[in-house]
Amino acid sequence: VQLQASGGGLVRPGGSLTISCEASGFTLDDHAVGWFRQGPGKAREAVSCIASSVRTAGAKHYDLSVAGRFSVSRDEVKGTVSLRMTEMKPEDTAAYFCAVRMSVADCRDWRQGSFDYWGQGTLVTVSS
């Protein structure tokens, strides 16, 4: 199982960016997918989680630090998961990682990072 987060880059404060998560060998439709980030000198933080859209209603969850600014969604055609980030702040600067649960379909205890596979991060820098 390989996951790949992509789409990172440099964005100005207040700007927007969308990053995506893709799996090799399978689509993410039937899996809970989490987004996490780790800023320079910081511990890993939970950002968002989206439940399986096949076995559940596909509920979405957000950390308070990004609620109302970030939006997680699925591309049902591509079988990928995206994180749309708006009103970005310098403190959003981090490497962003996606992770997948292979058997658990929902986002229970997602903040604890209990996911089966993790992808390599994509770097997001918010700076003027």
Side-chain angles (χ1 to χ4, degrees):
V1 174
Q2 288 188 329
L3 292 177
Q4 180 65 55
S6 62
L10 175 65
V11 62
R12 295 184 183 277
S16 301
L17 189 68
T18 299
I19 57 177
S20 297
C21 180
E22 182 175 12
S24 61
F26 66 99
T27 63
L28 295 172
D29 296 359
D30 193 21
H31 302 278
V33 176
W35 283 100
F36 296 80
R37 67 186 181 185
Q38 187 165 16
K42 297 182 180 180
R44 187 184 68 193
E45 299 177 316
V47 176
S48 180
C49 182
I50 184 168
S52 164
S53 61
V54 175
R55 290 177 280 166
T56 77
K60 303 174 182 180
H61 307 264
Y62 301 95
D63 184 77
L64 286 177
S65 65
V66 305
R69 300 189 298 122
F70 289 13
S71 177
V72 64
S73 63
R74 294 184 180 276
D75 185 321
E76 303 290 352
V77 175
K78 296 181 179 178
T80 59
V81 172
S82 294
L83 184 69
R84 175 67 173 169
M85 303 179 288
T86 66
E87 300 176 37
M88 297 190 72
K89 306 174 181 180
E91 50 263 44
D92 294 323
T93 295
Y96 284 72
F97 301 86
C98 59
V100 65
R101 289 176 166 173
M102 300 305 289
S103 58
V104 176
D106 59 28
C107 290
R108 69 185 73 179
D109 300 323
W110 68 280
R111 296 175 188 277
Q112 298 174 12
S114 51
F115 288 78
D116 298 302
Y117 296 99
W118 294 73
Q120 291 186 332
T122 186
L123 183 61
V124 174
T125 303
V126 184
S127 175
S128 56

